[in-house]
Amino acid sequence: MAVIRPSAKVQARAATGTLAVENVVKRFGEVTALGGVSLEIKAGEFFTLLGPSGCGKTTLLRIIAGFELPTAGCVRLGGEDITAVPANQRPVNTVFQSYALFPHLSVFENVAFGLRSRGFPQAEVQKRVETVMGMLQIERFMARYPHQLSGGQKQRVAMARALVNEPQVLLLDEPMSALDAKLRAEVQVGLRRLQRSLGTTFILVTHDQDEAMTVSDRIAVMREGQVIQVGTPEEVYARPRTCFVAEFLGAANLIPASRNGSGVKTALGHLELPAVPQWEEGNLAIRPERVEIVPEPRGSNCVQVQVREVVYRGSHQEAWLEPGGLRVRAAPYPPLRPGEEVVAHLPKDALVVLDD
Amino acid sequence: MSRLHPAVGVTAVLTLGFLYLPMLAVAIFSLNQTRYGMSWGGFTWKWYQSLFNPALSPDPKLTETIQAAFVTTMVLAVVSTVIATVLGTLLAIALERYPWTRRARVFLDNLLYLPVVTPDIILAAALVVAFSVLRQVSSLFELGLPAMIIGHVTFQIAFVALVVQSRLKSLGADLDEAARDLYASYGYFVRRVLLPLLAPGIVAGAMLAFTLSLDDFVISFFTAGPDSQTLPLIIYGSVRRGVTPQIHALSTLIFLATVILVLLSERLTRRSA
């Protein structure tokens, strides 16, 4: 879906309702998959559920789709409680991880399935299927069968099959996990553009933080059946609330610290902070690219360190500093040398005080 | 690739020969002019012709018995196959798609597999006992064609269910969910997705069941009445009276019909896999 050509008609039809998940609990026997999750997803938003496998993100998606009933809590769409509405009566469609295309039906009939099952007249089916196939550029494959398509083509057919129904909410269950890295990057940009032009609410499930950052308006980071943090990609990346969030989204230096006057005491010495921490002992985080190597100490938060190891990455160099095993991502020039004594500056506003 | 010792190849060929030699002998004697004894009296189709035309038969009464038995065999095979296919398919869908716990699933799978390995003679004897009890309730269980149909259905169901179940396993459950997600009612899903995709498995299972019914001797022997002789029962009876070339011709035809059915069923299962 490199280029997207949304039709005027589809474009005009934006999503209408907020999707609210309220205190949803799901237990499978003795296993608790979701331990009381609440989220509010605005109409037209690209929302991502991000987390490692087993965090409950797929279970939550299945509850929104109507494939699972929550043990407790409810799901509302546009204010209306849809918790007990069966999957085949929800204005919500899913792109499955396996795509789940019907192997005995042609691409056209796969896309038309959701219209035919509701008894749309042939002319309407023809028109809507053609529109959406044009939008996703799969008209050429119309007569083919799923086993004759590549992974990327199947993914587009799965998208078309869901979008032809003009759902209020489109659910995407790791739709890019079967694609190779290069294609995935392309598809992510296409997906983002498509969502923007349709104005439909998209909810994506993924364990890939790069993918989440690329496509999302907001991200909910999940762990062990709980939502840990919700925010824009910038917020969750730059202002993680816990060690888990800091480490799950990209590389982070976690610095154990204890309160010391207005700042904290750490293995690197005394550091000044933007805010006074709530705890006596806890952790700070700083992204490797925010650590600066400076010629000489000036002002606060400068520490004398030794370079332990350097990896040249082309566009940048990565170095590990002692004490503390501090990771730094710096411009490739001038090159750092192992054993070299340097001064590292940890800017006050780059230090994040974590809750734990 | 390791090289085979010549002795292994030779043994394999001899073993295959051993498997097919009896059938080959019957086929050859079905084309023999000589009515009695083992000497070759020249080639003829007359035993085959006499199966279809009592006037050409040296034993018109035998031909009529065979023709009546053919009708019984076909009615028995067709009716029992239809019933077993419907019930076996429903059973497979229930076993495979209902959210059983893991332990219940293993137990049910074994329960389904057990009839396949139960010796026919045990099942037949059990049927006789069961029918003699049920006869108190309904005349349906009197020895005869209806009882034979019930007997055949009993052992066919497991075979149909196993074939359909393996097909269901290969389809995966996410197509069910995709159809539900796309507004399909259960009926629409069954018509437009499940049955078309299961069809090769259902047909293969039905063919297998049909073949099993066609060839069955033991269950039929125990449940048949005086007016419900099947071809296998006739062949058994005539062996005791002395085999005629007509019986050889009949056996050869049944064998060929079985081979064709098995090959077709095999092809369907393989193509759909």
Side-chain angles (χ1 to χ4, degrees):
Chain A
M1 68 184 89
V3 185
I4 304 299
R5 294 182 254 130
S7 76
K9 184 179 172 243
V10 180
Q11 207 167 16
R13 209 199 139 283
T16 48
T18 300
L19 183 92
V21 174
E22 294 171 5
N23 296 314
V24 163
V25 176
K26 179 68 185 178
R27 289 194 201 96
F28 295 102
E30 280 162 26
V31 183
T32 302
L34 292 171
V37 169
S38 294
L39 287 171
E40 196 152 290
I41 300 163
K42 293 191 266 311
E45 198 172 19
F46 201 135
F47 195 90
T48 297
L49 302 172
L50 174 68
S53 61
C55 73
K57 56 191 193 297
T58 298
T59 304
L60 182 55
L61 196 79
R62 290 174 58 79
I63 286 172
I64 298 171
F67 299 137
E68 306 274 1
L69 266 178
T71 312
C74 74
V75 180
R76 288 178 197 282
L77 183 57
E80 188 194 343
D81 187 346
I82 59 162
T83 319
V85 176
N88 59 5
Q89 286 163 34
R90 291 189 187 198
V92 170
N93 292 106
T94 308
V95 177
F96 293 84
Q97 183 169 17
S98 64
Y99 308 136
L101 299 177
F102 302 117
H104 63 304
L105 297 179
S106 67
V107 166
F108 185 97
E109 285 304 323
N110 261 285
V111 176
F113 193 92
L115 303 175
R116 294 217 196 277
S117 67
R118 283 176 291 171
F120 275 62
Q122 175 60 27
E124 175 83 3
V125 171
Q126 191 77 29
K127 202 175 76 193
R128 280 173 70 164
V129 171
E130 275 170 10
T131 306
V132 77
M133 288 206 302
M135 194 167 78
L136 287 157
Q137 297 186 302
I138 50 172
E139 310 103 308
R140 283 175 296 149
F141 316 128
M142 193 164 86
R144 288 206 202 154
Y145 284 83
H147 69 268
Q148 296 168 310
L149 303 176
S150 71
Q153 291 162 354
K154 278 185 200 165
Q155 198 255 1
R156 276 188 277 168
V157 174
M159 291 282 301
R161 188 176 69 170
L163 286 172
V164 77
N165 304 296
E166 301 181 358
Q168 287 193 38
V169 179
L170 183 74
L171 306 175
L172 303 116
D173 185 7
E174 309 227 8
M176 286 168 264
S177 58
L179 307 179
D180 62 63
K182 190 167 170 283
L183 187 57
R184 204 180 306 165
E186 223 172 89
V187 172
Q188 284 166 4
V189 176
L191 194 63
R192 172 107 190 118
R193 207 171 294 160
L194 178 68
Q195 190 271 339
R196 280 286 149 83
S197 62
L198 291 174
T200 304
T201 311
F202 276 32
I203 303 178
L204 173 75
V205 156
T206 185
H207 61 266
D208 179 339
Q209 48 106 359
D210 276 330
E211 186 170 299
M213 305 266 274
T214 308
V215 300
S216 318
D217 290 319
R218 284 196 304 152
I219 298 171
V221 184
M222 293 184 68
R223 184 195 191 186
E224 289 170 3
Q226 302 283 351
V227 171
I228 307 292
Q229 188 171 356
V230 184
T232 63
E234 295 80 3
E235 280 165 7
V236 285
Y237 184 78
R239 297 276 147 212
R241 219 175 277 154
T242 67
C243 295
F244 173 77
V245 176
E247 287 196 301
F248 196 76
L249 280 110
N253 291 299
L254 296 183
I255 307 168
S258 58
R259 200 154 72 182
N260 180 20
S262 64
V264 289
K265 203 169 85 187
T266 70
L268 295 162
H270 179 84
L271 294 175
E272 289 293 324
L273 298 178
V276 181
Q278 301 295 306
W279 35 255
E280 281 304 318
E281 290 197 4
N283 285 290
L284 309 175
I286 185 167
R287 297 288 175 195
E289 67 271 18
R290 298 297 304 272
V291 177
E292 296 165 3
I293 303 295
V294 291
E296 58 201 41
R298 51 175 162 76
S300 63
N301 290 7
C302 283
V303 285
Q304 193 73 36
V305 289
Q306 190 179 31
V307 179
R308 193 182 70 205
E309 203 182 339
V310 183
V311 177
Y312 178 70
R313 299 267 196 208
S315 64
H316 64 274
Q317 58 182 336
E318 221 164 325
W320 280 264
L321 309 175
E322 289 297 345
L326 197 65
R327 194 166 159 187
V328 179
R329 198 176 155 146
Y333 190 83
L336 294 164
R337 305 258 172 250
E340 196 179 346
E341 296 277 340
V342 293
V343 177
H345 177 221
L346 284 63
K348 207 164 126 179
D349 66 341
L351 281 166
V352 183
V353 179
L354 300 175
D355 288 350
D356 55 350
Chain B
M1 210 174 114
S2 67
R3 290 191 51 157
L4 275 180
H5 192 277
V8 176
V10 172
T11 312
V13 171
L14 287 176
T15 306
L16 279 175
F18 179 71
L19 288 177
Y20 283 92
L21 213 59
M23 223 31 250
L24 192 66
V26 168
I28 289 169
F29 279 111
S30 74
L31 298 165
N32 188 2
Q33 283 275 8
T34 316
R35 189 162 176 208
Y36 301 105
M38 296 288 105
S39 62
W40 182 254
F43 177 88
T44 181
W45 285 116
K46 73 176 174 191
W47 307 118
Y48 287 91
Q49 289 163 330
S50 74
L51 282 179
F52 299 96
N53 189 349
L56 294 175
S57 173
D59 184 352
K61 200 150 176 301
L62 178 63
T63 297
E64 276 162 25
T65 316
I66 288 174
Q67 288 183 341
F70 174 77
V71 173
T72 308
T73 306
M74 286 324 244
V75 170
L76 173 59
V78 169
V79 174
S80 64
T81 299
V82 168
I83 297 172
T85 303
V86 172
L87 294 179
T89 301
L90 288 175
L91 181 61
I93 293 172
L95 286 181
E96 195 53 36
R97 289 295 188 258
Y98 187 83
W100 305 102
T101 63
R102 189 183 299 240
R103 266 164 91 197
R105 185 174 293 276
V106 171
F107 174 71
L108 288 169
D109 280 352
N110 285 332
L111 208 59
L112 179 62
Y113 198 65
L114 212 55
V116 173
V117 292
T118 307
D120 280 359
I121 188 81
I122 306 289
L123 177 61
L127 281 172
V128 169
V129 177
F131 285 174
S132 65
V133 175
L134 290 165
R135 217 167 286 149
Q136 321 279 335
V137 187
S138 162
S139 64
L140 196 67
F141 300 101
E142 293 294 345
L143 294 183
L145 192 54
M148 292 169 90
I149 290 172
I150 295 169
H152 280 216
V153 167
T154 318
F155 72 81
Q156 286 170 316
I157 283 179
F159 287 92
V160 175
L162 282 173
V163 175
V164 175
Q165 195 188 24
S166 79
R167 176 82 184 146
L168 269 169
K169 276 198 208 311
S170 75
L171 285 179
D174 54 359
L175 293 181
D176 303 34
E177 285 183 352
R180 258 199 291 161
D181 190 64
L182 297 165
Y183 314 102
S185 62
Y186 191 71
Y188 190 84
F189 161 70
V190 169
R191 276 200 316 281
R192 288 276 294 166
V193 180
L194 192 60
L195 284 182
L197 286 171
L198 280 188
I202 295 173
V203 174
M207 280 182 172
L208 183 63
F210 189 81
T211 315
L212 289 169
S213 170
L214 210 59
D215 293 355
D216 174 73
F217 171 75
V218 179
I219 308 284
S220 300
F221 183 77
F222 277 79
T223 51
D227 306 323
S228 52
Q229 295 294 299
T230 63
L231 291 175
L233 294 180
I234 296 285
I235 293 171
Y236 173 72
S238 66
V239 169
R240 298 174 66 190
R241 283 195 299 270
V243 200
T244 68
Q246 245 186 311
I247 295 296
H248 292 321
L250 178 62
S251 304
T252 309
L253 286 181
I254 294 177
F255 177 71
L256 287 177
T258 309
V259 168
I260 290 167
L261 281 171
V262 169
L263 286 179
L264 278 176
S265 146
E266 179 80 356
R267 256 184 101 142
L268 276 171
T269 333
R270 211 162 357 125
R271 185 150 28 112
S272 59

